[in-house]
Amino acid sequence: MKKHFILAALAAVLAAPVSAQETKIDPLHADVVMKFAFSQAPKDWAGRVDQDETLKVCSAARNAPSAADAEKIMAREKAKIKYPDDGKLMGDWKQGERWAQSGYGMRFTDYPPRNPNGGNCYACHQMTQAEVSYGTVGPSLREYGKIRKYAEADVKAVYEKIYNAHAAFPCSLMPRFGSNAVLTIDQIKDLVALVMSPESPVNK
Ligand code: HEC
């Protein structure tokens, strides 16, 4: 019964006329299509299909929230950041390069996962000089640490950025790797080293 409703709603969305100027999509229909697309997903992923408060506010404001809403989002997301017990924010940049290259994980054909998730950083960022295949959704991170003189405050900012990108940029397009349990704290430390360590090829 429920499936038929979803299929009917999906058909209605697909059949809706598309205006040449702006496509107006009813948010309810978008929700139905999303849920349908993930109907085969493992049960404990259900929460990921529902937008949380931050994404709801960002979607409603088309990623341009009011100053007051932006403050609320950043405070809420910052509170979700967990730091390493040993206080060390940098791990092994060689492992970090592995996580940055890897787009593995979060597939429901691979559950429980056979390999650790990747961060897929190159999909959006330029990083090392050697890797010429990268996306440009995010800014280039070439020499990111070197430009900042490897300052401690910037090491912390990069850790927080990777853990929860919305803590500093309310409606960021970058995934919240730590808060959404895509990457572990140790993986995030390796990625901080890739971006911020003087030995890393990102800074050569
Ligand atoms: C889906 C695209 C996407 C992915 C994947 C992504 N990022 Fe980003 N990233 C962005 C965007 C867009 C920005 C700029 C907006 C912002 O600061 O949130 C950004 C900003 C950053 C910044 C701050 C740049 C500055 O201007 O100071 C760092 C550092 C960063 N990303 C590191 C990473 C790392 C490391 C990974 C992999 C674990 C990663 N990003 C994965 C899109 C992405």
Side-chain angles (χ1 to χ4, degrees):
M1 212 29 211
K2 203 173 163 199
K3 203 154 199 172
H4 286 131
F5 164 74
I6 293 171
L7 279 173
L10 190 65
V13 172
L14 295 176
V18 178
S19 117
Q21 281 177 348
E22 194 192 347
T23 314
K24 290 243 188 288
I25 297 170
D26 177 351
L28 186 70
H29 282 180
D31 264 4
V32 170
V33 172
M34 272 301 283
K35 293 226 162 89
F36 181 71
F38 287 89
S39 53
Q40 309 284 314
K43 287 273 172 294
D44 55 334
W45 284 19
R48 295 299 315 279
V49 183
D50 295 317
Q51 287 196 313
D52 66 7
E53 192 54 29
T54 292
L55 292 188
K56 269 187 204 150
V57 173
C58 288
S59 291
R62 300 214 155 219
N63 290 346
S66 68
D69 281 344
E71 286 302 326
K72 263 191 238 161
I73 290 173
M74 289 192 290
R76 177 167 55 232
E77 298 303 324
K78 182 125 199 208
K80 292 183 193 169
I81 299 178
K82 293 198 177 75
Y83 296 88
D85 289 335
D86 64 3
K88 293 203 178 84
L89 299 179
M90 283 210 265
D92 174 357
W93 70 259
K94 288 197 186 103
Q95 284 297 322
E97 170 67 3
R98 198 177 137 211
W99 311 131
Q101 290 279 358
S102 166
Y104 193 89
M106 313 303 279
R107 301 170 202 181
F108 44 79
T109 49
D110 175 43
Y111 189 83
R114 282 163 295 179
N115 290 301
N117 292 334
N120 215 12
C121 316
Y122 283 101
C124 296
H125 295 285
Q126 180 184 26
M127 299 184 85
T128 65
Q129 200 168 28
E131 180 53 86
V132 294
S133 168
Y134 55 83
T136 53
V137 173
S140 169
L141 302 177
R142 284 283 306 129
E143 304 191 333
Y144 195 88
K146 191 178 177 186
I147 291 164
R148 287 162 183 77
K149 301 193 165 61
Y150 309 109
E152 230 170 90
D154 290 303
V155 172
K156 183 158 181 262
V158 170
Y159 180 90
E160 291 175 343
K161 184 85 223 169
I162 302 171
Y163 202 101
N164 190 323
H166 292 252
F169 195 113
C171 296
S172 178
L173 298 181
M174 178 165 153
R176 291 168 287 180
F177 292 104
S179 300
N180 282 340
V182 177
L183 299 175
T184 64
I185 284 185
D186 282 335
Q187 286 181 305
I188 293 174
K189 286 167 68 166
D190 293 340
L191 285 156
V192 175
L194 179 68
V195 177
M196 290 305 290
S197 144
E199 285 82 47
S200 161
V202 165
N203 295 311
K204 303 278 184 201

